[in-house]
């Protein structure tokens, strides 16, 4: 007599939860790469309609207002020290970093080149994490960071070699932006201010809203254009770049080291090239494809666990 084959059993609930927990770091990392890359595309998109100060002022007036109202409604409780630290971090990580990136896009620096210079952040952050934070940087991580630098150089090297419309000083803007983000990352890791991600973003975006509104008002660029294209660009940078990009950046940093989070930014130049190819029709050459592979190898070297 034939015996009935027992039906396969569904995974037990604890096993399913374990799989979900193991997938969370990957999802956070992948989300950070995609959302962070959207900022360079949003800068190029928005500055086609308005000056950088106009785009940044309305970006943070909207997102800062929404976050502050949400946190006040939820009853945010944050001490004076944490408020001051998050305000300083916001001035560096958002006001300083984003002004450099968006102003560079306004001056004519290509999105890929903009992302390349900003992707130098892992090298600087990892180099400073050891003496300032006492974080251990393994030889494999150093190798991965160096490989990543070569990868991003390969991705946009052709763009750097060709003379562009941007003046020479415009390329210093993303470099200064990168240093500002490095400073914010090290301050956050060294001081560990309290509050969840939404509370931290509310304070940081509120400070950025004040700074950029004052700058736009002083330069006579606060009035937004009437066309819908500008507000589409504002919605892009509010949802994807600010809430998605910065929220995932701090969420990843809370779970792992500066070097491992910073290494993910090596994937932003090739991802930005994909964004610009889809949205603007910019061609992606063989050097870009090769650079993507090199960047993936670099991130694997930095983020893979030690034996």
């Amino acid at each position: 007599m034939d015996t009935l084959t027992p039906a396969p059993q569904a995974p037990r609930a604890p096993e399913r939860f374990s799989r979900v927990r193991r997938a969370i770091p990957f999802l956070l990392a992948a989300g950070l790469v995609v959302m962070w890359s959207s900022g360079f595309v949003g800068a190029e998109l928005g500055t086609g309609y308005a000056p950088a100060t106009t785009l940044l002022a309305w970006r943070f007036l909207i997102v800062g207002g929404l976050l502050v109202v949400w946190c006040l409604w939820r009853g945010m409780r944050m001490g004076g020290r944490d408020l001051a630290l998050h305000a300083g971090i916001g001035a560096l990580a958002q006001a300083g970093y984003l002004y450099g990136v968006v102003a560079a896009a306004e001056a004519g620096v290509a999105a890929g080149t903009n992302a390349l210079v900003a992707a130098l952040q892992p090298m600087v952050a990892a180099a400073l994490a050891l003496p300032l934070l006492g974080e251990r940087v393994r030889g494999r991580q150093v190798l991965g960071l160096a490989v990543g630098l070569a990868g991003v150089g390969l991705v946009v090297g052709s763009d750097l070699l060709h003379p562009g419309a941007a003046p020479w000083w415009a390329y210093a803007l993303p470099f200064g932006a990168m240093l500002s983000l490095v400073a914010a990352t090290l301050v956050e890791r060294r001081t560990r201010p309290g509050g969840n991600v939404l509370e931290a973003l509310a304070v940081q975006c509120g400070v950025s809203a004040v700074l950029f509104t004052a700058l736009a008002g002083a330069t006579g660029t606060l009035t937004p254009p009437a066309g819908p294209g500008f507000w589409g660009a504002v919605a892009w940078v509010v949802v994807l770049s600010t809430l998605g990009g910065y929220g995932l950046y701090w969420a990843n940093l809370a779970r792992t080291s500066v070097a491992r989070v910073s290494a993910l930014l090596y994937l932003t130049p090739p991802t930005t090239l994909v964004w610009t190819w889809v949205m603007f029709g910019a061609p992606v050459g063989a050097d870009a494809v090769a650079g993507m592979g090199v960047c993936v190898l670099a991130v694997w070297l930095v983020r893979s666990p030690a034996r």
Side-chain angles (χ1 to χ4, degrees), residues 202-247:
V203 177
Q204 294 170 15
C205 291
V207 169
S208 298
V210 172
L211 293 175
F212 284 127
T213 301
L215 180 60
T219 56
T221 57
L222 184 58
T223 303
F230 171 78
W231 294 110
V234 170
W236 176 285
V237 294
V238 164
V239 176
L240 300 181
S241 309
T242 304
L243 297 177
Y246 278 95

Side-chain angles (χ1 to χ4, degrees), residues 70-111:
W70 169 262
C71 289
L72 290 177
W73 178 68
R74 297 284 295 178
M76 181 179 71
R77 297 178 181 178
M78 188 178 291
R81 172 188 176 275
D82 295 332
L83 281 171
L85 287 173
H86 281 303
I89 291 170
L92 291 169
Q94 294 188 357
Y97 176 76
L98 290 173
Y99 180 77
V101 168
V102 178
E106 182 183 13
V109 178

